[in-house]
Amino acid sequence: DQQVKQNSPSLSVQEGRISILNCDYTNSMFDYFLWYKKYPAEGPTFLISISSIKDKNEDGRFTVFLNKSAKHLSLHIVPSQPGDSAVYFCAANAGGTSYGKLTFGQGTILTVHP
Amino acid sequence: GAVVSQHPSWVICKSGTSVKIECRSLDFQATTMFWYRQFPKQSLMLMATSNEGSKATYEQGVEKDKFLINHASLTLSTLTVTSAHPEDSSFYICSAGDRLNTEAFFGQGTRLTVV
């Protein structure tokens, strides 16, 4: 049972344009969501998070949107840069913070072309 | 952010042998560490939660006798893959946090190849 799903295995974007990565979840108990960036053979690097009491969180070029009624979140990267090319994972937790057991999506490979 | 160091970053071992992976929190005390496993092109799956000074809690389907976890101190947790088989080849990642943090920090991962 995949409780967190990233239905797009890959995304290709031109440098300077917007990248939108999507994530859906099924468990209503999830109340904290995170996005991680990961390079091959490395651990995930935290990017941005959002609590279920918010619908938007912004940090520089990264913005995460949460639609609780649709159980959907998205990560917007504007403007996209070639260095953003990596695998992006969304993750969810039922504990209100990132501390605890995280349930990850399958990941989306983002490629930003110069 | 806090630093979590995982060692080794990669290891190759023969079938039937055991391999130990270390996860250290370098600048904070980790009351809890989490061990994840990632198969190629797949998600990170939680294997177990280890609490300092107590037995680890394993997720359903994870063999506790095969994946031995020890969390003897507030800065070190170890995962030992016993009697390794080729199907154990995977990428193993730890994360650590304490209740004062709102974020869990990940190690750099260990690529295990069993031949």
Side-chain angles (χ1 to χ4, degrees):
Chain A
D1 177 29
Q2 190 74 29
Q3 298 186 57
V4 178
K5 296 181 182 179
Q6 294 175 255
N7 293 317
S8 298
S10 62
L11 174 68
S12 183
V13 172
Q14 203 70 30
E15 180 179 7
R17 307 294 287 269
I18 184 172
S19 296
I20 300 176
L21 299 109
N22 294 302
C23 180
D24 297 295
Y25 63 97
T26 57
N27 190 337
S28 300
M29 298 301 292
F30 289 147
D31 56 8
Y32 197 83
F33 305 89
L34 310 92
W35 284 95
Y36 287 88
K37 178 180 181 180
K38 185 180 180 299
Y39 294 110
E42 292 185 13
T45 301
F46 171 76
L47 277 176
I48 192 168
S49 63
I50 187 167
S51 164
S52 61
I53 62 174
K54 294 184 175 182
D55 55 17
K56 177 182 175 182
N57 189 26
E58 193 171 355
D59 184 3
R61 297 186 296 116
F62 302 93
T63 303
V64 56
F65 296 92
L66 175 63
N67 182 334
K68 282 196 301 181
S69 60
K71 293 190 175 67
H72 176 84
L73 64 154
S74 61
L75 173 68
H76 293 211
I77 306 174
V78 182
S80 301
Q81 300 173 353
D84 295 330
S85 298
V87 181
Y88 288 77
F89 288 94
C90 67
N93 187 21
T97 70
S98 73
Y99 177 84
K101 301 192 293 186
L102 298 179
T103 302
F104 284 85
Q106 309 95 309
T108 297
I109 301 171
L110 172 65
T111 304
V112 180
H113 299 283
Chain B
V3 179
V4 175
S5 177
Q6 198 171 330
H7 178 80
S9 55
W10 61 270
V11 58
I12 301 173
C13 70
K14 292 184 178 181
S15 288
T17 62
S18 295
V19 174
K20 181 184 284 187
I21 302 169
E22 294 186 348
C23 181
R24 294 181 183 272
S25 56
L26 297 186
D27 50 4
F28 68 102
Q29 292 184 327
T31 52
T32 303
M33 289 186 175
F34 304 90
W35 287 95
Y36 293 84
R37 180 177 182 176
Q38 184 189 21
F39 290 104
K41 298 184 180 180
Q42 292 190 27
S43 178
L44 285 78
M45 300 295 292
L46 181 67
M47 299 175 64
T49 303
S50 81
N51 295 297
E52 187 265 336
S54 63
K55 290 185 178 180
T57 303
Y58 290 82
E59 295 299 303
Q60 190 174 9
V62 178
E63 299 176 61
K64 62 179 181 181
D65 294 330
K66 180 166 188 63
F67 299 100
L68 300 179
I69 292 173
N70 182 280
H71 193 157
S73 78
L74 286 171
T75 59
L76 174 64
S77 176
T78 61
L79 167 67
T80 301
V81 183
T82 63
S83 187
H85 291 282
E87 56 264 31
D88 298 325
S89 298
S90 190
F91 191 61
Y92 294 87
I93 309 173
C94 69
S95 74
D98 68 43
R99 294 195 181 276
L100 298 178
N101 294 337
T102 58
E103 180 180 344
F105 300 94
F106 283 84
Q108 61 267 55
T110 297
R111 169 71 61 193
L112 170 62
T113 302
V114 185
V115 297

